[in-house]
Amino acid sequence: MSFVSISDIVVGPAWTSRESGRYSGRYPLAVERHALAQVGRLLPGVTTVTPHARYYSLHGLVAAETAGRSIGAAAAQRLVRRCEVVMGAISTLHHDPHPGMSRAHGSDRIGPALSGGAALNVAEVASSNVYAQADWGFWGPYLASEGLLGLVEWSGGLPGPGPELDVAAVRAGLGPLLDLAEQDRIDQAVLRDHKSLCLCGATHAPDGRMLQRRLLPSDARPMELGGRRSQTIRMVLRLLELSGGVRNPQRDLVPFLLYDPSTDDDPVLQDLEITPAWRGVALRTLSVEAWRNLWAWLVGQIAGCISLAELGDLLAGALPDGTLQSHLDDLPARSARGGDAGRVLAAEPAVNDRGDPERWLDVLLLGALRSDELPERVRSYFEGPMDHRERLTPSWLRGRVEEWRGRPLRDFAGFLAQQMVHRSQQIALSKSWFDRRQGQLRIPTRVYVRDGQVFRDGGEPGSGISLRWDTLTTVLAGVGWVERAEGLWRVTDECRAL
Ligand SMILES: [Zn+2]
């Protein structure tokens, strides 16, 4: 028999804290879920926090050593931290950062430790809370990706070699790192002599070859895990090649993939089953970004407290007069007619020079109208099967457009403002939790409603979400398939030979 004690009901003496329990939530409207889930599905093994290919090899090496030497967690942590510090120092001395890349992990602490030509104090920089806060150094961000690539397997809190790790290759590529990591001090001349252990050194090293084989396995089925990754990689490389090079992969390649006619006619892209999937996800991210920007604008309008109706009026007042239908008639064409009927046209970029917030509303309306026009293979990635039931999705908005067609656009805007506020409160409450230590309900929101009045604690950042193409590009640079020259990412000759 179990008893309920008083401490189960009354939590702590400070349960009526007067402090606000609100804090900034990351996804206030939760409009990102579908797109983020699809990005993870289409590109497993690379995330926004895994920019450097060579850390995959480094962790594979340490995992193999941990198992081979039968060492425990403390010794494995010491080994990976020392190896990461030495590789970080070699990379910092070679180039910090390498062109187009982010800096080596921990280089903000490793760099200063080398200033004035000082020898690297491995023991000190690798100790707790110096170059990295976490016990396992920078392994954490790579852990899931390395598992998906089959390079590292964790068991009982210890890393071991994964089924796809070529231990001989990582030893051949990075082996000298193990000896250097055992030294407490290393002269800079020695670090410079070991340039082959740099972040950029995998391009012609055996561990880089192994990573290439994992990224583009020859036996992968198209839409299984490794196949999706390799199809995505082939697509991004092909887009880079067709575009002639770009400054910023996601920013520049998304419009290229969506709107450039050469991508429709290209046999390589046509052959890849993943191309329509990415078109759907990329189109959806335009709507996601538009909701986030519209919400950021709306929250920015809240000064002190304001009624929900007044907030709606502020959005309405920033939009043109006329009916929703007349506004829809004024939107640019979404798809081609005639010979290449159905091809997506650059309607979203065309409304971008309209002022704020109209341009975001227009992108949303375009997304809503596209929701029942896209080819099946694009549409199934643009929206999930249940999206029409959820507020602020393209097909939900499509349904509302039908209801509001004949009425004033400004009234429609007022309705949308209300829907956004309701949605934000619904999401905040669904993510709220009780902090037993503080005796407080914690609610992730910057905006709150009481008695029909809307208040805010701070602004919302707005902006888009990541497709992970930018980090994918730097990972591909790490294995020698792309390079940054004259400010542009381009594919290398080695990559063209693939
Ligand atoms: Zn380098």
Side-chain angles (χ1 to χ4, degrees):
M1 188 173 171
S2 66
F3 294 91
V4 176
S5 75
I6 192 72
S7 64
D8 291 330
I9 304 165
V10 179
V11 188
W15 66 282
T16 52
S17 166
R18 296 172 63 86
E19 297 281 315
S20 159
R22 293 185 302 274
Y23 65 100
S24 307
R26 245 183 112 195
Y27 300 120
L29 298 179
V31 287
E32 304 83 357
R33 284 177 189 164
H34 171 79
L36 289 178
Q38 294 306 323
V39 169
R41 217 179 144 258
L42 297 177
L43 184 47
V46 175
T47 71
T48 55
V49 290
T50 60
H52 298 301
R54 215 159 201 198
Y55 283 83
Y56 292 83
S57 322
L58 169 63
H59 297 148
L61 176 66
V62 175
E65 289 297 310
T66 302
R69 301 183 197 174
S70 301
I71 53 178
Q77 288 167 358
R78 176 182 179 275
L79 182 60
V80 71
R81 295 174 70 89
R82 283 173 164 252
C83 285
E84 286 189 346
V85 165
V86 174
M87 191 168 86
I90 291 169
S91 302
T92 302
L93 289 173
H94 188 217
H95 266 301
D96 189 37
H98 288 65
M101 310 282 285
S102 53
R103 300 172 69 189
H105 296 304
S107 72
D108 56 330
R109 302 299 299 272
I110 297 170
L114 296 167
S115 68
L120 176 67
N121 189 329
V122 181
E124 187 183 304
V125 180
S127 60
S128 290
N129 296 319
V130 181
Y131 90 105
Q133 304 298 312
D135 292 341
W136 290 100
F138 286 88
W139 208 328
Y142 287 83
L143 197 138
S145 294
E146 290 160 358
L148 287 167
L149 283 157
L151 299 172
V152 179
E153 253 177 15
W154 287 74
S155 166
L158 280 176
E164 307 295 342
L165 183 74
D166 182 341
V167 177
V170 288
R171 285 226 172 91
L174 287 172
L177 201 54
L178 296 171
D179 297 328
L180 290 174
E182 288 311 317
Q183 301 177 24
D184 284 340
R185 297 176 71 84
I186 308 173
D187 284 339
Q188 292 202 4
V190 176
L191 293 170
R192 288 181 206 278
D193 281 347
H194 283 87
K195 212 167 63 186
S196 64
L197 302 175
C198 183
L199 277 184
C200 66
T203 54
H204 298 293
D207 60 306
R209 298 275 175 249
M210 176 201 67
L211 289 176
Q212 289 181 346
R213 291 194 299 273
R214 291 310 306 140
L215 293 170
L216 288 188
S218 53
D219 55 350
R221 292 171 191 240
M223 292 310 267
E224 287 179 1
L225 187 127
R228 293 196 298 271
R229 174 174 52 241
S230 71
Q231 289 229 344
T232 294
I233 290 170
R234 285 186 190 282
M235 183 192 78
V236 168
L237 290 171
R238 185 62 180 169
L239 290 171
L240 268 178
E241 164 109 63
L242 285 176
S243 65
V246 298
R247 230 164 249 293
N248 184 315
Q250 177 170 337
R251 188 197 66 195
D252 301 336
L253 291 181
V254 162
F256 186 74
L257 169 68
L258 289 177
Y259 311 123
D260 196 283
S262 67
T263 63
D264 279 307
D265 307 331
D266 181 65
V268 176
L269 292 175
Q270 276 179 352
D271 267 3
L272 293 172
E273 291 180 32
I274 211 118
T275 306
W278 275 111
R279 284 208 171 103
V281 177
L283 268 176
R284 180 63 179 272
T285 62
L286 302 181
S287 291
V288 170
E289 183 171 1
W291 278 122
R292 288 164 59 100
N293 285 336
L294 189 57
W295 178 241
W297 184 90
L298 199 63
V299 171
Q301 305 303 305
I302 303 170
C305 81
I306 183 172
S307 76
L308 205 45
E310 285 171 317
L311 187 60
D313 289 345
L314 283 169
L315 178 58
L319 296 171
D321 208 359
T323 63
L324 174 58
Q325 182 61 56
S326 65
H327 192 72
L328 295 176
D329 293 342
D330 192 34
L331 291 175
R334 296 180 296 283
S335 48
R337 299 177 193 283
D340 48 356
R343 190 162 62 72
V344 168
L345 295 179
E348 288 83 1
V351 297
N352 204 34
D353 53 2
R354 300 181 180 182
D356 301 347
E358 186 186 340
R359 59 190 178 121
W360 299 314
L361 177 64
D362 289 351
V363 169
L364 292 171
L365 291 171
L366 289 164
L369 297 170
R370 285 194 196 279
S371 67
D372 54 8
E373 299 170 346
L374 294 168
E376 183 49 39
R377 286 169 67 205
V378 177
R379 188 166 63 183
S380 53
Y381 285 85
F382 179 69
E383 281 199 288
M386 294 300 159
D387 272 10
H388 62 284
R389 290 165 145 191
E390 199 166 335
R391 257 191 262 211
L392 312 194
T393 59
S395 52
W396 172 86
L397 187 61
R398 181 79 180 85
R400 307 294 77 75
V401 164
E402 280 318 309
E403 294 161 9
W404 285 81
R405 260 181 201 284
R407 295 155 76 179
L409 173 70
R410 289 174 172 173
D411 292 355
F412 184 55
F415 163 77
L416 289 182
Q418 274 190 11
Q419 294 296 310
M420 280 189 276
V421 171
H422 288 324
R423 170 88 173 170
S424 76
Q425 301 302 291
Q426 195 181 37
I427 296 299
L429 282 177
S430 75
K431 289 200 224 159
S432 63
W433 52 285
F434 194 75
D435 182 347
R436 285 172 175 263
R437 287 179 154 207
Q438 301 293 324
Q440 196 178 45
L441 186 64
R442 302 278 287 150
I443 308 174
T445 185
R446 291 183 171 97
V447 172
Y448 61 109
V449 183
R450 189 186 296 158
D451 301 333
Q453 299 288 307
V454 189
F455 305 75
R456 67 160 193 167
D457 290 328
E460 290 282 3
S463 84
I465 56 170
S466 170
L467 296 179
R468 307 183 184 175
W469 292 7
D470 295 344
T471 38
L472 173 63
T473 303
T474 63
V475 167
L476 298 178
V479 299
W481 284 337
V482 301
E483 61 191 358
R484 181 99 172 172
E486 292 155 8
L488 292 181
W489 284 115
R490 289 200 183 88
V491 297
T492 59
D493 293 337
E494 184 190 351
C495 172
R496 279 188 199 96
L498 280 174

